[in-house]
Amino acid sequence: MAKLSSQGDMRLQSNTFKKYIGSVQKGRTTRCEAGSFQVIAMELTIFILRLAIYILAFPMYLLNFLGLWSWICKKWFPYFLVRFTVMYNEQMASKKQELFSNLQEFAGPSGKLSLLEVGCGTGANFRFYPPGCRVTCIDPNPNFEKFLIKSIAENRHLQFERFVVAAGENMHQVADGSVDVVVCTLVLCSVKNQEQILREVCRVLRPLPMDPQVMCPEHAQMNQACNHRGNLS
């Protein structure tokens, strides 16, 4: 009888163990099914988001294919920049005043400072230039001209020379050694060829006994001056 009882206990323990193993496997299966469902849901979500982005971007791709996207950007970007400039100048006014505070020291024998601004935009820097400064502006977007005229009207302490429609990499309209200072604000971070622009800058700068002044505050940091003449000449 004791032997039978012992065998019965072993069978009961074995059945219990099997049930436990079965429940564990079932739980694992349930968790695996839940995990698979989450993966599928995540992949579906990503697919839907990508599809939404493609749908939203399709008009831009179409306009670019038709050759109209660049024209639209050039047409409307100045209007955006006018609004952005107001906020940006409020935040950066003290930095710009410090950066441009010694510009007059680079004036030529006549005492009037000749300044070339590359990528002038809407003329956001005009109010920081010294009185009597002669300003020449270069930008590849011709739609900035009317905004520049308005900025000049608001900054009568400056003498506006001309607006040249050209990229900074090719400023052949500006004579060699014809300017005292070159300013390029938030430009070098978005051009195709930085070295070529800096070569052009060195070409148009008037030879000075001191280091040439190239003001180039960029998105990364606000530098006091960047002198590349020694490396690029």
Side-chain angles (χ1 to χ4, degrees), residues 4-196:
L4 290 175
S5 177
S6 177
Q7 290 177 351
D9 291 342
M10 291 179 64
R11 290 194 188 98
L12 179 61
Q13 291 176 0
S14 177
N15 290 335
T16 303
F17 181 74
K18 288 179 180 179
K19 289 180 180 179
Y20 173 74
I21 294 298
S23 64
V24 170
Q25 290 177 344
K26 185 178 180 181
R28 287 180 178 175
T29 302
T30 303
R31 287 194 294 271
C32 288
E33 290 176 351
S36 299
F37 176 77
Q38 291 176 352
V39 171
I40 293 172
M42 181 63 70
E43 290 179 350
L44 181 61
T45 302
I46 293 173
F47 172 77
I48 293 173
L49 290 174
R50 284 181 176 175
L51 182 62
I53 292 172
Y54 290 150
I55 292 173
L56 292 173
F58 176 74
M60 291 185 288
Y61 286 114
L62 180 60
L63 290 171
N64 186 55
F65 176 76
L66 297 174
L68 299 174
W69 179 245
S70 179
W71 178 84
I72 292 174
C73 288
K74 285 187 175 182
K75 184 70 175 178
W76 293 104
F77 181 65
Y79 293 93
F80 161 78
L81 199 59
V82 165
R83 296 178 179 272
F84 172 78
T85 294
V86 174
M87 297 183 293
Y88 185 76
N89 271 351
E90 289 177 356
Q91 295 180 1
M92 303 298 294
S94 60
K95 289 288 186 180
K96 285 190 175 184
Q97 288 170 354
E98 178 185 356
L99 182 69
F100 299 136
S101 61
N102 66 334
L103 285 180
Q104 191 58 41
E105 298 176 7
F106 295 89
S110 66
K112 285 191 174 184
L113 181 72
S114 177
L115 184 147
L116 172 67
E117 182 163 356
V118 181
C120 56
T122 60
N125 295 323
F126 285 177
R127 68 186 179 102
F128 301 101
Y129 296 156
C133 177
R134 296 179 298 180
V135 180
T136 299
C137 295
I138 284 187
D139 200 286
N141 190 344
N143 296 297
F144 279 122
E145 185 170 13
K146 65 178 181 180
F147 296 96
L148 285 174
I149 293 173
K150 181 181 179 182
S151 294
I152 286 294
E154 295 171 351
N155 295 274
R156 296 187 178 278
H157 64 289
L158 302 179
Q159 181 181 340
F160 185 60
E161 295 285 306
R162 58 176 173 151
F163 172 58
V164 179
V165 180
E169 291 92 337
N170 184 12
M171 300 186 291
H172 65 274
Q173 299 95 325
V174 183
D176 296 0
S178 59
V179 299
D180 302 315
V181 174
V182 175
V183 175
C184 47
T185 305
L186 307 182
V187 172
L188 295 181
C189 53
S190 58
V191 298
K192 295 180 180 179
N193 191 330
Q194 293 182 357
E195 289 190 2
Q196 180 58 29

Side-chain angles (χ1 to χ4, degrees), residues 102 105-107 206-213 227 229:
N102 66 334
E105 298 176 7
F106 295 89
R206 179 174 61 87
L208 295 173
M210 63 184 76
D211 288 338
Q213 190 76 340
N227 178 9
R229 179 179 290 249

